[in-house]
């Protein structure tokens, strides 16, 4: 049956009055007229007619189906449902049809059935209205026709509310009823302001008025149209704050608008603010509004108070958190009101109704703070702002603000910083746009910029390696150069490689290089140097040439030549008699054949950046001697070399002589090596044989001289008295460990555990002050667990599993070596630590009697390159060296003597370990006292393969451990 309905609804099967054509059901009406075809129900009253309609039309095949035309079918109305039933005839002969049945059911088609097919009951009300208007029927007559309809549905009423058919005064178009109001005496006097209030063009009767009100025509102007007129009017001024329409609304609020007044859903601006502009209800608060909300005009408050409706207008007392958030997001803060507004928010912090944590998190990323940047105002987030406005040298590079305390507290809650980090300053300097705007601005001051560089230098250790590489190529450093007459100083931006650090004022005055700013701090100089700036003296080479050579040889020249030749065996050796490896192979022969001559003048030139500059200074102030050509002398070492003395200087300066001899003999004439070797050679030349012997030189082994001082001995060097010689102490012989002195025992047992997880960058500060070395570590050390092993690593350095894949095997081997050496030297296991610093060249250091050994040094020098015995021997000496620092911090005779005693004292255990192949022989380990009980825990015995006893003491404290095991496997 549903299929039959579908077929019929899509077929032209409905007859209409006044036409012989069939129409689709959807185009016909049960109650229609004129242009709305009405169904002709009389057609359906006879069976024959019905059959012809259903079976003989063009679409019969579509309705009944092909192949079934030879069968008799009937359409029957069943009860109230009026559905179509298909009944097969028992007899194919039509003459057998029951005429009584047809007569009984003569009305076979009902209106309900037709409605189901799609026939409409009546035309839509909108179509009726439009049809009547198209026939030029007056709107008032149309209204009368609508009133005459006996039963009009609610649906039609709702449709009529939006159907435009009512005329209004002074309007050429028709409007729907819901946009029209009736003419009222209340609008007298304000009708000229009510542009959007539309009044019906005629005065309706009571019956019409009643029907019109059902359709939505209002008796009084609606608030929506009343206040939409305000947008087209002149805005009230701050002086008056009044408008006729606003006064009309207030005067009639109680009578007309109070029931429909819903301010939260009303978005039209109708409240005059204190600035004279109109604002909506959500933009107004009675107090503490600026700049988040606006305050009503006093005239508005006065009128509403007089009419006793101020409370019923439901105005906000103060801005809510949502109001504050919305105003900040839309840019309500200005440079002029920012301080007062943020102070207000700071005073409200932690109060009821204040912003919550979720608001502060959102504000931290919201750009609502106005800041001036190079002549324009931009908005930034609090996380980009720093509350250090007093630091003028930071202005422009980062966003700084100077605010009252309460305002600053509020911004800190929004994640504003107190002072920029070094990374923030560096990124600002590297930003090309910021750099150009800052350096080219009229107010740029180089003094302030140098202060900015000082701030970066103070936190230079926090700058990572990648950023340092970027800075090396950036011209951001300040270079200074003085004019020829030193009257003016020129400043410009340079890279570190184009700048020098001044360590010689004479060179600076002569060469006029670009140098670091005058008065730069030590930290700033270190930053310059780290980025590639050189010290001026290291970039300058001095070339000396003798002039006006004296042909005759003086007695002074002959005596010095004889002295050098006699002392040549000592000059090329160290104090213990070994050859110095830094000297050329035939240094002794070169010195033995050296000739000494004199010259009246020595000319010196400074070579700097490819240019030669003659040194305008007294030659004696620089050096009283020089080689003819040191470079050529090395290339032609088979020929005798000549040293020229300045004839006008009577005294021999052995320091100058030793320096020139070092330049002649060294393989590489680095400044440091020349000074060290030259000073040693000057000492050999200046002292007599007795003095040299007293200082430990093997005089009797290499030279045969009496104890009388040489003729050419410098007057500044005093000869030691002969009677002092017997007071020179000789080193004692060392015996086994158990017979060592208490001093040596305290040195070894004085090692302490380093329980700290963090070792500062100044580790070994006092130590380095004594030994005059560079800093031990480049950055603070932090203890980590690497592969289950305790390891100290420099802060800022990370381990890469791919690049450092061989680090773990090297660490394992290194721990085994330290365990072996610790067993030999009787070192407490807790005092031994391993550290890794990729930028430190220190082999080991002693911090507060805790020993630290460099894994990086072992990995580069020993791991996979030497045998285990060679590595053990090397670290054995290193450990004895660091143990000696438990007693003596400096590198002096006391430290050297103590280290030698430790090396000699533990040597039997080392030899025994090498002989046995796995550990020290039992006969080399001192026996355990009988009154000592072994208290080594099982855990310690299982954690390491090396254990050894420590000498017991009667004064041992309770719970002390008698054996020490080096165990670095626990973090």
């Amino acid at each position: 049956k549903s299929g039959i309905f579908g077929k019929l609804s899509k077929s032209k099967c409905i007859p209409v009055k006044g036409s012989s054509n069939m129409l689709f059901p959807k185009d016909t009406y049960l109650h229609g007229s004129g242009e709305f075809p009405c169904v002709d129900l009389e057609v359906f009253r006879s069976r024959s007619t019905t059959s012809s309609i259903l079976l003989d039309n063009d679409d019969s095949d579509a309705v009944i189906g092909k192949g079934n035309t030879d069968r008799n079918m009937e359409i029957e109305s069943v009860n109230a449902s009026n559905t179509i039933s298909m009944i097969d005839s028992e007899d194919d002969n039509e003459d057998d049809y029951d005429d009584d049945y047809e007569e009984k059911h003569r009305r076979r088609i009902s209106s309900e059935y037709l409605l189901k097919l799609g026939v409409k009951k009546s035309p839509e009300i909108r179509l009726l209205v439009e049809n009547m208007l198209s026939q030029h029927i007056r709107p008032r007559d149309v209204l009368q026709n609508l009133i005459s309809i006996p039963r009009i549905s609610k649906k039609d009423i709702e449709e009529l509310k939006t159907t435009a058919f009512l005329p209004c005064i002074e309007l050429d178009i028709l409007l729907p009823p819901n946009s029209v109001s009736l003419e009222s005496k209340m609008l007298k006097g304000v009708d000229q302001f009510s542009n959007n209030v539309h009044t019906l063009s005629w005065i309706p009767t009571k019956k019409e008025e009643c029907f019109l009100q059902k359709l939505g025509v209002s008796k009084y102007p609606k608030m929506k149209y009343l206040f939409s007129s305000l947008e087209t009017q002149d805005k009230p001024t701050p002086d008056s704050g009044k408008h006729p329409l606003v006064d009309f609304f207030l005067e009639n609020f109680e009578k007309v608008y109070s029931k429909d007044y819903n301010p939260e859903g009303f978005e039209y601006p109708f409240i005059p603010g204190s600035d004279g502009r109109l604002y909506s209800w959500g933009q107004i608060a009675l107090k503490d509004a600026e700049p988040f909300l606006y305050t009503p005009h006093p005239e508005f408050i006065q009128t509403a108070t007089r009419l006793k409706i101020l409370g019923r207008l439901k105005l906000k007392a103060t801005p809510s958190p949502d109001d504050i958030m919305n105003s900040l997001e839309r840019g309500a803060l200005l440079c002029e009101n920012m301080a007062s507004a943020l102070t207000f928010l700071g005073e409200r912090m932690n109060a009821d109704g204040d912003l919550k944590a979720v608001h502060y998190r959102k504000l931290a990323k919201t750009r609502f703070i106005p800041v001036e940047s190079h002549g324009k105002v931009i908005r930034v987030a609090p996380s980009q702002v720093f509350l250090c406005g007093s630091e003028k040298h930071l202005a422009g590079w980062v966003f700084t603000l100077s605010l009252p305390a309460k305002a600053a507290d509020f911004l800190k809650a929004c994640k504003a910083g107190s002072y920029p980090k070094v990374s923030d300053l560096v990124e600002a300097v590297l930003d090309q746009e910021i750099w150009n705007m800052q350096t080219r601005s009229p107010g740029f001051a180089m003094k302030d910029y140098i202060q900015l560089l000082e701030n970066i230098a103070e936190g230079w250790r926090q700058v990572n390696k990648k950023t340092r590489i970027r800075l090396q190529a950036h011209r951001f450093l300040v270079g200074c150069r003085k004019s020829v007459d030193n009257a003016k100083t020129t400043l410009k931006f340079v890279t570190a490689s184009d700048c020098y650090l001044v360590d010689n004022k004479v060179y600076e005055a002569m060469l006029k290089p670009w140098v670091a700013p005058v008065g730069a701090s030590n930290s700033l100089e270190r930053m310059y140097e780290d980025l590639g700036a050189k010290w001026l003296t290291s970039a300058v080479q001095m070339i000396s040439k003798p002039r006006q050579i004296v042909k005759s040889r003086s007695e002074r020249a002959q005596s010095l030549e004889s002295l050098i030749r006699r002392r040549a065996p000592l000059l090329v050796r160290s104090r213990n008699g070994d050859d110095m490896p830094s000297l050329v192979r035939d240094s002794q022969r070169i010195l033995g054949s050296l000739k000494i001559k004199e010259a009246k003048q020595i000319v010196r030139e400074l070579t700097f950046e490819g240019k030669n500059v003659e040194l305008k200074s007294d030659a004696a102030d620089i050096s009283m001697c020089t080689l003819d050509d040191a470079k050529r002398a090395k290339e032609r070492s088979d020929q005798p070399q000549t040293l020229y003395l300045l004839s006008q200087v009577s005294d021999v300066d052995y320091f100058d002589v030793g320096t020139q001899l070092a330049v002649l003999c060294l393989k590489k004439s680095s400044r440091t090596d020349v000074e060290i070797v030259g000073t040693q050679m000057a000492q050999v030349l200046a002292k007599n044989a007795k003095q040299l012997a007293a200082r430990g030189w093997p005089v009797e082994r290499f030279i045969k001289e009496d104890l009388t001082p040489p003729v050419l001995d410098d007057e500044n060097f005093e000869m030691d008295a002969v009677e002092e010689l017997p007071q020179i102490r000789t080193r004692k012989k060392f015996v086994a460990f158990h017979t060592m002195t208490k001093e040596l025992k305290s040195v070894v047992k004085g090692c302490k555990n380093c329980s700290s997880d963090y070792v500062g960058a100044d580790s070994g500060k006092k130590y380095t002050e004594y030994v005059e070395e560079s800093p031990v570590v480049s950055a603070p050390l932090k203890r980590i667990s690497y592969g289950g092993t305790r390891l100290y690593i420099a802060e800022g350095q990370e381990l890469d599993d791919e690049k450092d894949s061989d680090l773990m095997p090297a660490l394992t081997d290194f721990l085994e070596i330290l365990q072996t050496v610790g067993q030999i030297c009787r070192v407490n296991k807790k005092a031994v630590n391993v550290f890794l610093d990729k930028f430190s060249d220190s082999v080991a250091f002693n911090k507060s009697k805790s020993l630290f050994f460099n894994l990086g040094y072992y990995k580069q020098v020993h791991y996979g390159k030497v045998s285990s015995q060679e590595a053990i021997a090397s670290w054995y000496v290193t450990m004895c060296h660091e143990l000696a620092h438990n007693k003596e911090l400096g590198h002096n005779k006391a430290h050297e003597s103590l280290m030698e005693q430790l090396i000699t004292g533990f040597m039997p255990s080392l030899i025994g370990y090498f002989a046995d192949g796995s550990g020290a022989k039992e006969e080399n380990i001192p026996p355990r006292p009988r009154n000592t009980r072994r208290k080594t825990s099982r855990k310690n015995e299982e954690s390491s393969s090396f254990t050894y006893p420590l000498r017991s003491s009667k004064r041992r404290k309770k719970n002390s451990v008698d054996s020490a095991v080096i165990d670095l496997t626990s973090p």
Side-chain angles (χ1 to χ4, degrees), residues 293-310:
L293 294 180
Y294 302 95
T295 305
H297 197 280
E299 288 289 340
F300 180 87
I301 298 294
Q302 183 178 356
T303 303
T305 303
R306 176 176 57 80
L307 297 173
K308 300 180 180 180
I309 61 172
L310 183 61

Side-chain angles (χ1 to χ4, degrees), residues 493-590:
F493 295 109
V494 297
T495 61
S497 58
D498 298 332
C499 188
Y500 298 91
L501 298 171
V502 177
D503 54 354
N504 191 315
K505 291 291 184 180
V506 176
Y507 284 3
E508 181 191 9
M510 291 182 57
L511 303 175
K512 308 296 182 186
W514 291 104
V515 299
V518 178
S521 63
N522 294 335
S523 58
L524 185 57
E525 287 184 346
R526 285 195 296 270
M527 186 181 76
Y528 270 71
E529 185 177 10
D530 190 42
L531 290 174
K534 297 180 180 179
W535 289 98
L536 185 57
T537 54
S538 65
V540 176
Q541 292 183 353
M542 182 183 294
I543 301 175
S544 301
K545 297 180 181 179
R547 294 290 186 266
Q548 301 179 10
I549 300 174
V550 179
K551 295 183 178 180
S552 59
R553 298 183 63 192
S554 64
E555 181 179 356
R556 181 181 67 164
Q558 294 178 7
S559 300
L560 181 59
E561 179 180 309
S562 175
L563 177 63
I564 293 174
R565 292 183 177 183
R566 291 198 312 273
R567 301 283 177 87
L570 282 183
L571 291 173
V572 298
R573 288 177 171 81
S574 60
R575 185 171 299 184
N576 58 5
D578 297 334
D579 293 337
M580 286 190 287
S582 59
L583 303 184
V584 296
R585 183 181 303 176
D586 53 351
S587 298
Q588 184 173 344
R589 183 190 62 78
I590 294 174

Side-chain angles (χ1 to χ4, degrees), residues 924-943:
N924 294 325
I925 300 177
R928 180 179 302 278
R930 297 180 180 178
N931 59 347
T932 304
R933 292 186 301 169
R934 185 165 183 169
K935 299 181 180 179
T936 306
S937 64
R938 182 177 299 273
K939 179 178 179 180
N940 288 339
E941 290 177 354
E942 295 176 355
S943 62

Side-chain angles (χ1 to χ4, degrees), residues 819-857:
Q819 288 173 347
T820 303
V821 175
Q823 174 193 8
I824 294 170
C825 295
R826 278 52 168 191
V827 177
N828 189 337
K829 63 175 182 178
K830 297 181 180 179
V832 179
N833 304 276
V834 177
F835 76 95
L836 179 63
D837 187 353
K838 298 178 181 179
F839 301 107
S840 174
D841 56 358
S842 300
V843 179
F845 67 91
N846 184 320
K847 174 176 169 46
S848 303
K849 299 185 179 181
S850 294
L851 309 183
F852 290 80
F853 300 91
N854 193 346
L855 173 61
Y857 177 83

Side-chain angles (χ1 to χ4, degrees), residues 9 52 159 180 186 199 214 223 232 356 391 498 537 635-636 726 744 769 794 801 866 869 879 928:
S9 63
S52 64
E159 189 174 359
V180 178
M186 296 172 60
T199 306
K214 289 182 179 180
M223 288 188 295
T232 62
K356 306 301 180 184
E391 303 290 343
D498 298 332
T537 54
E635 294 176 353
R636 303 178 62 185
L744 288 182
E769 289 177 354
D801 294 338
V866 299
Q869 289 189 351
M879 186 170 288
R928 180 179 302 278

Side-chain angles (χ1 to χ4, degrees), residues 291-292 321-333 341-342 345 355 363 366-369 379 410 414:
F292 313 107
D322 291 337
D323 294 330
I324 294 174
M325 292 293 296
N326 294 333
S327 62
L328 293 179
E329 290 175 359
R330 71 169 184 265
L333 282 188
L342 295 181
L345 295 177
L355 300 177
L363 287 176
T366 303
R367 299 176 179 269
F368 70 91
I369 301 179
R379 296 190 178 274
F410 175 77
C414 297

Side-chain angles (χ1 to χ4, degrees), residues 786-927:
Y786 183 66
T789 303
R790 184 177 74 244
L791 176 66
Y792 285 85
I793 186 170
E795 196 173 52
Q797 302 178 20
E798 297 181 356
L799 298 179
D800 192 337
D801 294 338
E802 296 181 0
K803 296 181 180 179
D804 302 324
S805 57
D806 57 343
L807 186 63
M808 193 63 203
L811 177 59
T812 304
D813 292 350
F814 192 33
L815 291 177
E816 292 181 359
I817 290 174
L818 292 179
Q819 288 173 347
T820 303
V821 175
Q823 174 193 8
I824 294 170
C825 295
R826 278 52 168 191
V827 177
N828 189 337
K829 63 175 182 178
K830 297 181 180 179
V832 179
N833 304 276
V834 177
F835 76 95
L836 179 63
D837 187 353
K838 298 178 181 179
F839 301 107
S840 174
D841 56 358
S842 300
V843 179
F845 67 91
N846 184 320
K847 174 176 169 46
S848 303
K849 299 185 179 181
S850 294
L851 309 183
F852 290 80
F853 300 91
N854 193 346
L855 173 61
Y857 177 83
Y858 169 76
K859 185 173 176 292
Q860 294 183 19
V861 178
H862 293 150
Y863 180 63
K865 299 179 177 63
V866 299
S867 63
S868 60
Q869 289 189 351
E870 291 177 325
I872 289 173
S874 175
W875 290 101
Y876 166 75
V877 175
T878 301
M879 186 170 288
C880 291
H881 178 101
E882 299 303 331
L883 285 173
H885 281 304
N886 285 349
K887 180 70 175 177
E888 190 65 38
L889 293 178
H891 283 167
N892 48 31
K893 289 185 178 181
H895 174 268
E896 182 179 354
S897 174
L898 191 57
M899 181 182 70
E900 291 175 352
Q901 292 181 58
L902 291 170
I903 293 175
T904 307
F906 293 128
M907 187 62 70
S909 296
L910 178 65
I911 296 174
Y913 172 81
F914 287 155
D916 183 59
S918 60
K921 290 185 177 181
E922 290 296 332
E923 57 269 19
N924 294 325
I925 300 177

